[in-house]
Amino acid sequence: MNVLEIFKGINTFVFDVDGVMTDGSLLVMPGGVMVRRMNIKDGYALQLAVKKGYNVAVISGAFSQEVKERLNKLGITNVFMRVEDKAACLLDYLKSIGSTTAETLFMGDDIPDHEAMRLCKLPCSPTDAAIEIKDISLYISPLTGGAGCVRDVIEKVLKLNGGWELKTHIKAQ
């Protein structure tokens, strides 16, 4: 089977934050604020997926008001943070939007993502994910966390479904 075939039929994207949307590094600032760096190309793809009608959610064990605000600005309103059971959160989210795991791509990078990823049609990971996560991934992006792996999978789904456009009026955030 061509690996790209598994990207067809996806209507829901679910991503972890740290190690997927970021490189997993934290800069600890005075007062305990933890600063993360996110990739602008990932942001463009996330925004485009939302505009094209795809379901996009983020499920993270951590909490960052700044990350939540960034994702909201991109149009992602389903941001679940401080999640201890990502599989249960995923199933509740899919039920609430009327989607299924058979239509879902989940990209994670470490052990807390394992069970949720195993439920989905298309478990994906960045190239620098934990070996246990890479072992269950049907697609491993050649890109690392925080360096375009999110864009990589979104672009594949949108291109295969005729939704990737080269329009300059879509503004990246």
Side-chain angles (χ1 to χ4, degrees), residues 19-36:
V20 175
M21 293 183 155
T22 75
D23 67 5
S25 298
L26 290 173
L27 181 60
V28 182
M29 303 298 289
V33 174
M34 294 183 217
V35 178
R36 295 158 170 88

Side-chain angles (χ1 to χ4, degrees), residues 42-60:
D42 286 347
Y44 175 82
L46 287 161
Q47 178 179 255
L48 183 59
V50 170
K51 286 179 178 177
K52 292 292 182 176
Y54 287 84
N55 304 305
V56 181
V58 171
I59 301 177
S60 176

Side-chain angles (χ1 to χ4, degrees), residues 149-161:
C149 65
V150 170
R151 163 118 175 211
D152 179 35
V153 295
I154 292 174
E155 188 173 334
K156 282 179 175 39
V157 171
L158 269 61
K159 281 183 175 178
L160 286 167
N161 293 296

